[in-house]
């Protein structure tokens, strides 16, 4: 019975708080973009001419099939992050793609048209070295996998293991590559560095060792990029120190030494310090490779060589050339070479592999993005045209992870910005006003207007109204003009010049910072990339922090964002200042940061140019201000005594608070040590600076008010126990005042472990942990109240709060795992809050905060019903209607960014991970605008009906009166 | 917190009960995933079925998640799946697909590799309701992501209780006098009788009568007042 009441209460409460999507809203204000990451392997499906498939495997452990005509995904499989899902190799034959996953742990074969798994085999442990398709008599039947100490052969159609053999002397010999030329033998090459090469021959049928030989090669350290097999079984190696090529006939018994060919005899020389690279082509795994090969002598010098009758002949010298690749279509193999044309463009040309002759009319011009990186990979898709000539398309990958697919004569078919697969941090910036809007604003903003007197002000007003009218007419004209054009040609093209703030400030600029160091400016309404900027020389382990110093509100000063890029190891940071609307680097001089930066602090203090002041604290507790004009320094001196900041040292478990002195040095005020032997600090979070709280308290059932403890300086510190045993592990939470260092509250969750996700907002903290005893996720909510009276209702001071807050806590079971957690945010904080929970399934759940209320009663009473409290239920409900992204799942959601819009009811949400999803949520429904389903027909028909009814009845009454008068 | 504790106590008791009733050597409390070092890895197998839908239409977007994203598996073209390399423990196995709903299953693996599947129950975590193993997970239909819009129809309007309350008395007022002939003396008599039947105690003063008296008094008073003012008015003039 009690359950029924609970259910009933929940369902009733849902009526008020549901924030669901309606089916007709799909795609109206939301969009999703799917990414794959940095491409490591890409193969074109050459199985049939009409095939559009492009198979890619990426460093994000994603295996996907792209439509090579549009760049869209056919399907995508997202594996585990980390080394278990790492894709080691990708091989393709016909309709099947074979993938080696997890350092040679799993061998998978995918059916590429459907995107389903054909088979999966677990391989023996051992670090993966190489994999190759093995063919017998022109048919590819097997796949061979080389591990550190073993080689195994698997059937291609079923995945069953044919045989596995241990490699001889595997503890001294490093086996690295594998080769099969379709003659019933598999060759395994190993090397003993600076001593000799070991070649082992296996019979395909039963894995019997047919032959084993070792060849002197004192110069060799690694086989991988310096050796390849060409022609009918000739091992070719290159060495930089001796400046020579070496060849070895694999199947001859008499040759026991590698033949040395000096590069000098070919008039070639390897650039100093460059490891030369050999590239060969084996179009069909069941047949021996071509006798032609590329030799890369320096970063921009390739040469096409041919081995003919034991002699090496240069076919064509490509100097300069950035990239070179072979491609096969049918029986013909071609080579594509990218060479620089001028400063901004490259040209790609096609050459026949066997002669080195250039194919006519095959130039593709590739324009390099001035804000992007250099091209570093070239994938070629060759196909036979109707007239039997070879046509081709290329995919170019650049350093900044842009994939560009080009076709002749240089048309960009599609482009993918794969850097966006790894968004680190983001901000949403308001768009600027248009000229007319700015004009109107300026009328009220300028101080001069007051001195102007009455008449000029009237004139100014009239002129601005006239401008508005003009703009409106122009808009009408455009609408009319567009309406006449056919539908297809009218595109809602968004460009930087036409960007302006909309009525309700719903459209914003999303500034996204990616791990590769590429910055993006994306229009939040359509998802169009409006600007991009690649920052070169970003260390791969950098930490980014994006700060909006000046918003668009201060016309004519441009908005300003500052990006702090910090090296994770050294802690040395540097600043990059840019305009978030146009993406242009700002000319403002940036302070040099010679010492590691520990903490940044954005002050509400603004300089004469309306930029907020950013304080950077280095490891000697010295403070650098940016901007650091005289005005700012003066203001800082005045307010120094009220500027506090905190530092976290996780290695020593120390939290410390500092105060700024007038000379920009600091003094230590407090220190809290959390012993690292027992627990370690996992995360520290304050409240968001742009958060508003509308109501100071909550009205209780008995009409008294329970005031919230709204301490803006409160920090939530999450700790995890160092002991990970499930009986003794715990999760701790400390609420510490960031100014005084006072521990406001402390709670411990026993038999719990991380990862802990938490949100700290208003007067509450919500955190999620794993209950290791019951093996489930649990939510816990802490809410702080001052009590029935406020100590000082006008202003909050951490230094003057004698009464500790009342803390209420409640916990709930959450019946799903969690990836990330965030809370909605609205302009004034009137709208009820929802928690946005990112789930591993890719859904984003909008959970009303109402369910996470520590005052939910166990027993329903009159008062609690009046307060609209839902009776306590241990399990949190998950309803599919609460998934704000319906079937647009976001893979590996890592963060959710929420931003207020101009409408109080609306909160903008961006979820990012492997994909990016943008939408709007209405936690209390759209109470301030007419709803989408507003029934205009009904209301107007009722209005007109009433109108006509009055007209008719009036007429009738007149007639009746007249009749009565005649009587 | 209090509630949680109490619940936990209850569950502990339940757990003991279930341990008695089930002789299966329970993995509970299973070793924490990942902390095991003896290297024994097992395979979770099963099949996902969506009735009436071809496998190739949905398998490319579906994944098998074991305990969140700790272990990931993919579906074969026939709908079957296997998640390899899972150490012993207790896991929630879930098939996630943006189009179809599948219920999660808890799979227990003992250190010897013995497996069983049971219903997921986060509240009574040790309750065992056996499921078949290898897993047979049948979809319960497509997801219902969308709320239904409230549409406006004539029937909704007419069946609205407010409208009914207004329309029905109106009908009675308009139609009854026409149906019943009030001029017929017999009829009138009958009606009077029925009214008396309704009034069980004739001595008790009728409420309506009382009210009319009260109001008529008031109105006479007020009319008097009016008269007064009228009589005063000419004097002023």
């Amino acid at each position: 019975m009690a359950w029924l009441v609970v259910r009933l209460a929940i369902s009733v409460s849902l009526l008020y708080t549901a924030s669901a999507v309606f089916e007709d809203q799909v795609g109206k204000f939301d969009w999703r973009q799917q990414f794959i990451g940095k491409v490591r392997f890409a193969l074109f499906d050459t199985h049939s001419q009409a095939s559009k498939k492009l198979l890619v495997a990426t460093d994000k452990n994603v295996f996907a099939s792209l439509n090579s005509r549009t760049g869209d995904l056919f399907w995508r499989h997202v594996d585990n992050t980390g080394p278990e899902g790492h894709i080691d190799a990708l091989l393709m034959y016909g309709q099947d793609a074979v993938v080696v996953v997890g350092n040679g742990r799993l061998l998978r074969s995918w059916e590429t048209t459907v995107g389903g798994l054909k088979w999966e085999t677990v391989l023996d442990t051992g670090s993966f070295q190489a994999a190759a398709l093995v063919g017998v008599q022109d048919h590819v039947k097997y796949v061979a996998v080389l591990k550190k100490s073993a080689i195994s052969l698997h059937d291609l159609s079923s995945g069953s293991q044919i045989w596995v053999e241990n490699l001889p002397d595997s503890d001294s010999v490093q086996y690295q590559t594998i080769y099969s030329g379709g003659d019933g033998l598999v060759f395994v090459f190993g090397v003993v560095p600076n001593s000799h090469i070991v070649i082992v021959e296996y019979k395909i049928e039963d894995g019997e060792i047919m032959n084993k030989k070792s060849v002197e090669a004192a110069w060799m350290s690694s086989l991988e990029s310096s050796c390849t097999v060409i022609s009918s079984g000739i091992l070719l190696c290159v060495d930089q120190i001796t400046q020579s090529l070496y060849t070895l006939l694999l199947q001859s018994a008499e040759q026991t030494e590698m033949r040395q060919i000096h590069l000098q005899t070919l008039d070639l020389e390897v650039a100093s310090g460059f490891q030369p690279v050999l590239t060969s082509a084996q179009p069909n795994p069941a047949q021996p490779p071509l006798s032609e090969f590329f030799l890369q002598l320096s970063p921009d010098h390739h040469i096409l060589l041919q081995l003919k009758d034991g002699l090496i002949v240069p076919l064509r010298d490509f100097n300069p050339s950035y990239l070179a690749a072979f491609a096969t279509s049918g029986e013909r193999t071609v080579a594509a070479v990218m060479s620089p044309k001028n400063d901004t463009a490259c040209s790609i040309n096609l050459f026949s592999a066997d002669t080195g002759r250039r194919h006519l009319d095959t130039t593709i011009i590739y324009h390099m993005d001035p804000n992007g990186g250099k091209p570093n990979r070239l994938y070629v898709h060759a196909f036979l045209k109707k007239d039997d000539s070879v046509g081709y398309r290329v995919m170019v990958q650049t350093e900044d992870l842009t994939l560009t697919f080009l076709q002749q004569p240089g048309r960009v078919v599609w482009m993918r910005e794969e850097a966006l697969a790894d968004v680190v941090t983001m901000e949403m910036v308001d768009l600027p006003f248009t000229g007319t809007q700015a004009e109107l604003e300026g009328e009220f903003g300028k101080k001069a207007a007051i001195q102007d007197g009455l008449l000029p002000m009237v004139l100014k007003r009239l002129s601005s109204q006239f401008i508005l009218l003009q703009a409106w007419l122009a808009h009408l004209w455009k609408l009319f003009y567009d309406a006449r054009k056919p539908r297809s040609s009218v595109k809602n093209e968004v460009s930087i010049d036409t960007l302006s703030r909309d009525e309700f400030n719903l459209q914003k600029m999303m500034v996204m910072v990616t791990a590769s160091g590429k910055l993006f400016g994306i229009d939040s309404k359509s998802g169009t990339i409006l600007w991009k900027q690649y920052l070169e020389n970003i260390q791969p382990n950098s930490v980014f922090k994006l700060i909006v110093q000046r918003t668009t509100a201060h016309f004519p000063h441009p908005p300003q964002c500052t990006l702090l890029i910090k090296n994770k190891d050294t802690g040395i940071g540097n600043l990059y200042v840019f305009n978030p609307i146009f993406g242009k680097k700002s000319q403002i001089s940036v302070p040099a940061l010679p010492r590691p930066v520990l903490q940044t602090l954005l002050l509400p203090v603004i300089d004469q140019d309306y930029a907020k002041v950013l304080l950077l604290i280095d490891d000697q507790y010295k403070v650098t201000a940016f901007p650091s004009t005289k005005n700012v320094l003066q203001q800082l001196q005045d307010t120094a005594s009220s500027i506090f900041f905190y530092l976290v040292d996780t290695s020593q478990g120390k939290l410390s608070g500092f105060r700024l002195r007038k000379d920009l040095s600091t003094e230590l005020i407090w220190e809290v040590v959390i012993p690292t032997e027992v627990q370690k600090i996992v995360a520290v979070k304050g409240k968001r600076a742009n958060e508003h709280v509308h109501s100071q308290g909550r009205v209780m059932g008995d009409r008294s008010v329970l005031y919230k403890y709204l301490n803006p300086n409160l920090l939530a510190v999450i700790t995890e126990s160092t002991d990970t045993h499930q009986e003794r592990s715990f999760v701790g939470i400390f609420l510490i005042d960031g100014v005084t260092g006072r521990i406001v509250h402390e709670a411990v969750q026993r038999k719990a472990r991380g990862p802990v996700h938490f949100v700290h907002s208003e007067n509450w903290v919500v955190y999620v942990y794993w209950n290791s005893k019951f093996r489930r996720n649990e939510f816990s909510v802490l809410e702080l109240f001052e009590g029935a009276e406020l100590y000082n209702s006008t202003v909050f001071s951490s230094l003057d709060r004698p009464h500790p807050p009342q803390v209420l806590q409640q916990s709930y079971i959450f019946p799903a795992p969690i990836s990330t957690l965030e809370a909605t945010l609205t302009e004034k904080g009137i709208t009820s809050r929802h928690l946005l929970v990112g789930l591993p399934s890719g859904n984003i759940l909008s959970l009303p905060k109402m369910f996470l209320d520590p005052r939910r009663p166990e027993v329903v009473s009159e008062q609690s019903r009046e307060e609209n409290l839902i009776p306590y239920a241990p399990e949190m409900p998950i309803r599919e209607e609460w998934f704000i992204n319906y079937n647009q799942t976001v893979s590996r959601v890592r963060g959710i960014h929420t931003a207020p819009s101009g409408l109080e009811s609306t909160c903008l949400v961006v979820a990012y991970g492997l994909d990016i999803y943008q939408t709007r949520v209405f936690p209390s429904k759209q109470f301030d605008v007419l709803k989408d389903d507003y029934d205009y027909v009904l209301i107007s028909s009722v209005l007109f009906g009433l109108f006509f009814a009055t007209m008719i009845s009036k007429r009738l009454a007149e007639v009746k009166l007249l009749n009565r008068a005649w009587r | 917190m209090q509630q949680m504790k109490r619940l936990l106590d209850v569950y502990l008791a339940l757990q003991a009960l279930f341990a008695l009733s089930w002789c299966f050597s329970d993995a509970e409390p299973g070793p924490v995933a990942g902390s095991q070092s003896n290297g024994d890895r097992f395979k979770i197998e099963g099949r996902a079925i969506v009735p009436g839908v071809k496998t190739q239409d949905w398998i490319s977007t579906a994944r098998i998640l074991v305990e969140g994203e700790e272990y990931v598996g993919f579906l074969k073209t026939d709908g079957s799946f296997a998640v390899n390399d899972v150490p012993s423990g207790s896991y929630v196995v879930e098939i996630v697909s943006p189009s179809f709903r599948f219920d999660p299953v808890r799979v227990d693996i003992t250190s010897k590799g013995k497996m069983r599947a049971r219903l997921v129950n986060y509240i009574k975590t040790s309750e065992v309701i056996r499921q078949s193993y290898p897993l047979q997970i049948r979809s319960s239909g497509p997801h219902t992501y969308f709320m239904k819009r409230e549409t406006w129809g004539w029937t909704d309007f007419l069946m609205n209780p407010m409208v009914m309350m207004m329309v029905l008395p109106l009908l009675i007022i308009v139609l009854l006098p026409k149906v019943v002939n009030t001029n017929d003396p017999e009829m009138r008599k009958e009606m009077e009788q029925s009214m008396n039947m309704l009034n069980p105690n004739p001595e008790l003063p009728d409420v309506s009568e009382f009210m009319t008296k009260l109001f008529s008094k008031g109105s006479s008073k007020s009319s008097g007042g009016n008269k007064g003012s009228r009589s005063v008015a000419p004097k002023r003039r």
Side-chain angles (χ1 to χ4, degrees), chain B residues 34-68:
Chain B
S35 68
Q36 186 146 338
S37 56
N38 64 2
D40 270 353
R41 298 279 176 140
F42 307 103
K43 183 155 90 169
I44 299 173
E45 284 174 298
R47 178 186 291 270
I49 303 148
V50 182
V53 182
K54 277 187 205 156
T55 51
Q56 58 253 43
D57 295 342
W58 61 274
I59 50 160
S60 65
T61 52
R63 287 204 293 171
I64 322 296
L65 299 186
V66 178
E67 210 64 66

Side-chain angles (χ1 to χ4, degrees), chain B residues 4-204:
Chain B
M4 284 293 288
K5 254 187 197 162
R6 192 180 291 179
L7 281 167
L8 294 193
D9 290 346
V10 172
Y11 300 149
L12 279 177
L14 280 169
Q15 194 179 343
L17 210 136
F18 278 111
L20 280 173
S21 60
W22 286 93
C23 47
F24 188 91
S25 60
D26 200 347
E28 190 127 356
V32 180
S35 68
Q36 186 146 338
S37 56
N38 64 2
D40 270 353
R41 298 279 176 140
F42 307 103
K43 183 155 90 169
I44 299 173
E45 284 174 298
R47 178 186 291 270
I49 303 148
V50 182
V53 182
K54 277 187 205 156
T55 51
Q56 58 253 43
D57 295 342
W58 61 274
I59 50 160
S60 65
T61 52
R63 287 204 293 171
I64 322 296
L65 299 186
V66 178
E67 210 64 66
E69 269 183 317
E70 227 163 290
Y71 306 96
V72 178
F74 300 100
L75 285 153
K76 284 185 190 160
T77 41
D78 60 350
S80 64
F81 63 87
V83 183
N84 289 301
D85 267 0
V86 183
S88 63
S90 173
Y91 306 95
V92 174
V93 179
E94 203 175 356
I95 301 173
V96 294
S97 155
S99 4
F100 296 101
R101 189 192 316 131
F102 295 92
D103 290 328
V105 178
R106 186 175 280 283
V107 173
D108 300 326
I109 309 173
T110 61
S111 53
K112 283 176 187 146
K114 219 170 164 188
M115 301 225 183
R116 70 164 178 198
R118 56 187 168 117
L119 274 184
V120 178
N121 191 338
Y122 285 107
I123 298 178
K124 299 174 187 171
T125 47
S126 55
E127 187 188 51
V128 180
I129 298 172
R130 284 271 198 143
Q131 303 275 87
S132 62
Y133 188 89
L135 302 169
Q136 294 282 330
I137 305 179
R138 191 173 279 272
S139 166
S140 51
H143 286 294
T144 48
Y145 290 121
F146 302 111
M147 297 279 276
K148 272 237 173 97
R149 283 247 189 242
E150 286 168 31
T151 48
W152 194 84
W154 281 105
T155 46
D156 295 347
F157 178 74
L158 289 177
M159 299 316 268
N160 190 333
M162 290 299 275
V163 174
M164 299 255 273
M165 262 161 69
M166 272 168 65
V167 169
L168 277 177
L170 214 89
L171 280 177
I172 291 165
I173 290 165
V174 173
L175 293 179
L176 257 184
K178 294 196 175 172
V179 175
V180 185
N181 193 355
T182 41
N183 290 339
D184 186 15
E186 259 177 52
M187 196 70 184
R188 194 171 275 190
K189 219 176 191 178
E190 210 169 279
M191 272 177 79
E192 251 165 42
Q193 265 179 4
S194 66
M195 288 295 272
N196 282 346
M197 287 281 282
L198 279 172
N199 242 7
N201 195 353
E203 270 101 82
L204 212 88

